[in-house]
Amino acid sequence: MSDAPDYRDTVFLPNTAFPMRGDLPKREPAILARWQAMGLQQRLREQAAGKPPFMLHDGPPYANGQLHIGHALNKILKDVINRAHAMAGEDAHYIPGWDCHGLPIEWQVEERYRKSNRDKDAVPILDFRAECRAWAQKWLDVQADEFRRLGVEGDYAHRYATMDFASEAAIAGEIGRFLLNGALYRGLRPVMWSPVEKTALAEAEVEYHDRTSDTVFVRFPVLDRELAGDLAGASVAIWTTTPWTIPGNRALAAGAEIDYALVRVDGTAPASRAREGERLIVALALLPQVCAEVGITLHHVLRVLKGAELEGVLCAHPLRGHGDERGGYDFDVPVLMGDFVTTEQGTGIVHQAPAHGEEDFALCRAHGIEVLETVGEDGTYNPWVPLFAGIHVYKAADPVSAALGQAGGLLRRDKLVHSYPHSWRSKAPLIYRATPQWFIAMDGETRIRARALEAIAETRFVPESGRTRLAGMVATRPDWCISRQRAWGVPIPVFVERATGEPLRDPDVVARVVEAFRAEGADAGFSSPPGRFLGEGRDPAAYEQVMDIVDVWFESGSSHAFVLEARGLPWPADLYLEGSDQHRGWFQSSLLEAIGTRGRAPFKAVLTHGFVLDEQGRKMSKSLGNVTAPQDVSDKYGADILRLWVMGADTEDDLRIGPEILKQQAELYRRLRNTLRWLLGSLDGFSEAERIEPAEMPELERWVLHRLAELDRLVRGAVASHEWTGVYPAIHAFCSSDLSAFYFDIRKDALYCDRPDSLHRRAVRTVLDHLHRCLATWLAPVLVFTAEEAWTARFGEADSVHLQGFAAVPAEWQDDALARKWERIRAIRRRITVPLDEARKTGVIGAGLQAAARLPLTASEMPLLTADEWAETAIVSAVELVSDPGGIEAADAVISRAPGEKCARCWRVLPEVGRGRHAALCLRCDDAVESGLVYRAAAADVREDAAE
């Protein structure tokens, strides 16, 4: 047995109750309960009083089902930004909201009816709406709890929902504004229509999938009329992917500057429907392709003409003479000029069915051609349509093609796989269908389009590409169709005078509707007699009450009115933040609604993020088994891991997530947690009496303060710009590279072994205090639970890190010259550490403190540090400096065993060991022990590798 004294109790090892293991799935719910008990939200609101406001207006998620990973991305990003603004000294009042009306909820309630063989149409509308309201409330409550579990802090007690009575009243009032300013009108126009759901859809409710469609080439015979000339008897050839629209054809469109060929067919392939000797008119550029597809093996171009020469030429409908008892298709089909016609595909001539296409509608209307409603709401041809009455358009390709064949109009039938619009709810394919709908005019006196484009130019976009995307969509969109033929929503508060067909534009009527909705909800629109709203002096029988409900995008687009304005909150909002798909959704509807009613955008800045994909970059789907649910991540890893994933990625692009990525995030989290743990352990017992000013500190401590100043500028810059990409990876790199692998490693010796009253150790502890305060508050917006742990572990549970501001970082801490010097020192240090590692591997030394280094330095490098400072920085026991005047950079150090004995307390190998009063100690340790200031630290269990 050795008789050597044991000096372990005299070493200042770290001591903290902050555990190494996060155990977040268990610890996070307890912290949430503590916040609830201490009234954290109320304290935040009280503390924010009088501060400059910051308003991030929440785009409402839909209250239908559990949260998915996209919800988590969106709400976490919002929460980080709100918390950061609050910690930067602003009043960030975040009001979560929910979108509660609309078809998806109706669809769920109807599905329950279908399963129980109930007839939805037999259910009283108020009962049906009550079931929809209950369904939405159920999922609103579920989602609110799930958002809280993700650490998303907000004013849930005053949350908003579009189905709140106050919201429904405000939505009705906003429609009334458009009614009264003349922008709202009823018109017959083609809209995207779902035959399955029997309603019009907004562009944002449409998704595109590959679909196999029937295609047909069709002849339109040129009639022998005055304008026909040598074209009489020829046929204009068209190609379409929607044969079901042929019964609705009323015109043809050609391009005025396109070259067209009048072609004689001289040879055909077997089974070709082209006829030898017939003449066809097609675009010259597409002639080879048309011949190949139709089966024309030999042809002769009789002449080439410009499209303008076709203007006014009349053709026969390809089903002319083939009607039934309802009539026939014996009408003329004129050739019109359309600037949308191209030679990219088909024949260069486009058949026009004005009830089934926006361009078709506009062109035919401009030439006075009647728009007939050929297809009903369920997708079947109306009773008056010859030959096809009652047939569903999805099943029309066969009968239409057969009729064209019998009439001699069919040139070829084929199939094509192409991208086609589908309902994002029912997944059923959509059609364009002309129906009477309520529209908000984009142009005209209100100049909504022009003013919206001006507002876009004045708005800040993150990323900048969002400006171009939103402007492009607004510039080309048609008038806004706001009516839906459903039951669960806010009814459009409009009455139409039967005698004139004009809407009643009376502010008193609008006011009565709004007041009724505020008191009773929008149900009042269905339960009240029209006279209640029309008022005295008007005969209800003289008016038609509109029973359509308003588009849910109009509802959420109006939320700025009933969330911000109505509550006296800042308007316009500082920031709208949603996924990039909302350029055609909520961003656009909010912009157009506010422009149309208030003349300016409801936001100052717009931030967009990407979508979430799996680890292979695929879209998530249950069938692929690649869905990552936020609830599962919280249960397995903890919400902080999910939050770290969000802020560690470039959210402007699509993000990827999966098992391996989550494991990587857990490892990143471990390093951050261990950094906090080592700081807390090393600050054990720290008091203000220890603190010293930067001027008294060694250069290395002042370099750390400089790095804090740089990171503080980065964080505060992100708060101001809303650009957070790269901020938290930079903080992680600082913890991992600058602190754990460099500063902490160097300063463990002074921290553990110096006298507690030494200036050196006090400087280290002062810097560690700054580090803890900065890191805890910088990490608090992201690692909301872990930062709280790291704060309360030091300051007690009566406090919360979320009630703090960002730690104060004086501007004078920044010292660029010092940073350049230490960047050079770190580069030279590697000329010691690299051969030191090699010496360990080869057995020259066992540990770094057994080493001495002979370090060659150039003349410019020699003044950087003294030999003792180099030994401290490289964590060896001795360094000999050797002048190396040759070259710009000297060679690596030569490593040997250090002379002397190993100090039993600090483990440095020094010749001075034993020269003091303790035979086993170096002079520094001897003085520390003899001072009587050291204390027992045997209870400490923070390992030296905890900050790796």
Side-chain angles (χ1 to χ4, degrees), residues 99 162 170-178 184 202 440 480-484 490 550-560 562 585-586 589-590 592-594 597:
D99 197 352
T162 55
I171 292 164
E174 294 301 300
I175 300 170
R177 287 178 182 242
F178 285 102
L184 183 68
I440 291 174
W480 186 359
C481 177
I482 68 161
S483 52
R484 299 291 182 268
V490 177
V550 71
D551 172 23
V552 292
W553 292 103
F554 183 94
E555 291 192 10
S556 59
S558 303
S559 59
H560 65 90
F562 53 84
W586 190 59
S589 65
S590 299
L592 299 179
E593 203 286 330
T597 56

Side-chain angles (χ1 to χ4, degrees), residues 917-945:
R917 283 160 287 189
H918 294 261
L921 300 182
C922 67
L923 294 176
R924 175 190 60 159
C925 289
D926 184 271
D927 175 61
V929 171
E930 285 299 313
S931 72
L933 297 175
V934 296
Y935 58 90
R936 182 175 179 84
D941 66 350
V942 177
R943 302 175 185 176
E944 291 199 10
D945 65 351

